[in-house]
Amino acid sequence: MEKAWLPEIISNENINLRPISWKSIAQDAENVVKWAGDSDVRDALRYFSFFHNGATLDRQLEYFCKIIESRNDHIFVIGFKSGEFLGTCGLHDIDWVNNNLRIGIIIFNKNYWRQGYGTSSLNLLLGFAFGKLGMNKVYLTARADNDLAIHIYEKFGFKREGVMRDEYRVEGGRYIDLLRMSILKSEWK
Ligand SMILES: CC(C)(COP(=O)(O)OP(=O)(O)OC[C@H]1O[C@@H](n2cnc3c(N)ncnc32)[C@H](O)[C@@H]1OP(=O)(O)O)[C@@H](O)C(=O)NCCC(=O)NCCS
């Protein structure tokens, strides 16, 4: 599937967001599976049903294939200029009629948690969505107790739109809400 809207790379002085492709898919899937298998990363991601039982190469490849073939989604690998893998971020469910899309970010490489790379990736992703893609609205969902992520989103101007009650079953079998947050192009600085 040719996606005319896909850039070769989105970058700033520190990091690159590189779209996954047929050429890179094997290496990209391997990196995700390697880090998703780390015990700390696994704990952080356990509440996503996709990662609940750990990641497998087959399932990750199947997911990436689907993304590459999708007209309205894409995943970027977040990495240093050296090529070192940091994580992934994505544009999903792009609505070309109403000009909105959903984003997601995961810094898989725990050696670089809380060093500004989530913020930096979000900045690049929003710039691309509002700039090149001409979107009017970007939204996401976050676990209601993910204070770190919510802090970053609010710093950018995301607003809380609503609550999906008891969306995830988490540690100890309790349920937790999912927040939907969004930012409009007019709010993007
Ligand atoms: C959430 C995630 C993307 C953040 O990326 P990161 O690179 O670790 O975060 P950053 O270093 O960019 O941001 C750190 C900011 O959070 C703040 N912060 C750190 N811990 C915090 C906490 N417990 N509560 C609130 N804010 C916190 C820091 O002070 C800093 O804020 P500042 O920039 O205003 O000083 C990353 O941790 C991750 O991938 N986590 C697992 C997957 C996930 O939860 N993805 C998001 C799904 S919604």
Side-chain angles (χ1 to χ4, degrees), residues 21-185:
S21 65
W22 294 121
K23 206 169 104 198
S24 69
I25 189 172
Q27 184 63 56
D28 295 339
E30 239 175 65
N31 276 325
V32 169
V33 170
K34 174 187 150 201
W35 281 106
D38 174 277
S39 59
D40 294 331
V41 179
R42 206 169 157 173
D43 282 348
L45 300 178
R46 198 179 294 280
Y47 66 98
F48 287 123
S49 46
F50 188 85
F51 290 114
H52 188 74
N53 293 316
T56 67
L57 196 54
D58 280 357
R59 219 151 49 92
Q60 193 61 45
L61 281 169
E62 188 187 344
Y63 175 62
F64 278 171
C65 285
K66 241 190 255 170
I67 290 286
I68 291 174
E69 284 170 352
S70 162
R71 191 181 292 275
N72 302 318
D73 302 85
H74 211 80
I75 299 259
F76 298 82
V77 163
I78 308 166
F80 288 118
K81 307 280 177 187
S82 62
E84 189 178 2
F85 175 85
L86 281 168
T88 62
C89 59
L91 305 170
H92 300 283
D93 303 324
I94 303 176
D95 183 334
W96 299 103
V97 174
N98 295 301
N99 293 331
N100 63 62
L101 58 79
R102 176 171 61 81
I103 60 167
I105 299 185
I106 301 179
I107 304 293
F108 281 98
N109 186 333
K110 69 175 183 183
N111 299 327
Y112 296 103
W113 278 347
R114 300 187 184 196
Q115 294 172 46
Y117 297 110
T119 301
S120 204
S121 307
L122 181 59
N123 195 31
L124 288 173
L125 214 51
L126 289 176
F128 180 68
F130 289 134
K132 285 277 179 336
L133 293 187
M135 291 288 129
N136 176 58
K137 173 176 177 170
V138 171
Y139 62 94
L140 54 81
T141 55
R143 186 172 146 162
D145 65 351
N146 194 342
D147 295 336
L148 197 173
I150 293 167
H151 169 82
I152 297 172
Y153 303 141
E154 290 186 330
K155 195 169 62 174
F156 275 87
F158 278 79
K159 302 211 172 359
R160 298 170 189 228
E161 274 194 331
V163 173
M164 288 114 118
R165 296 181 305 148
D166 276 5
E167 190 80 0
Y168 287 137
R169 190 163 70 88
V170 296
E171 310 79 36
R174 72 197 165 94
Y175 288 91
I176 194 159
D177 297 341
L178 191 62
L179 278 185
R180 177 162 147 150
M181 305 180 76
S182 70
I183 182 169
L184 303 179
K185 185 174 186 173

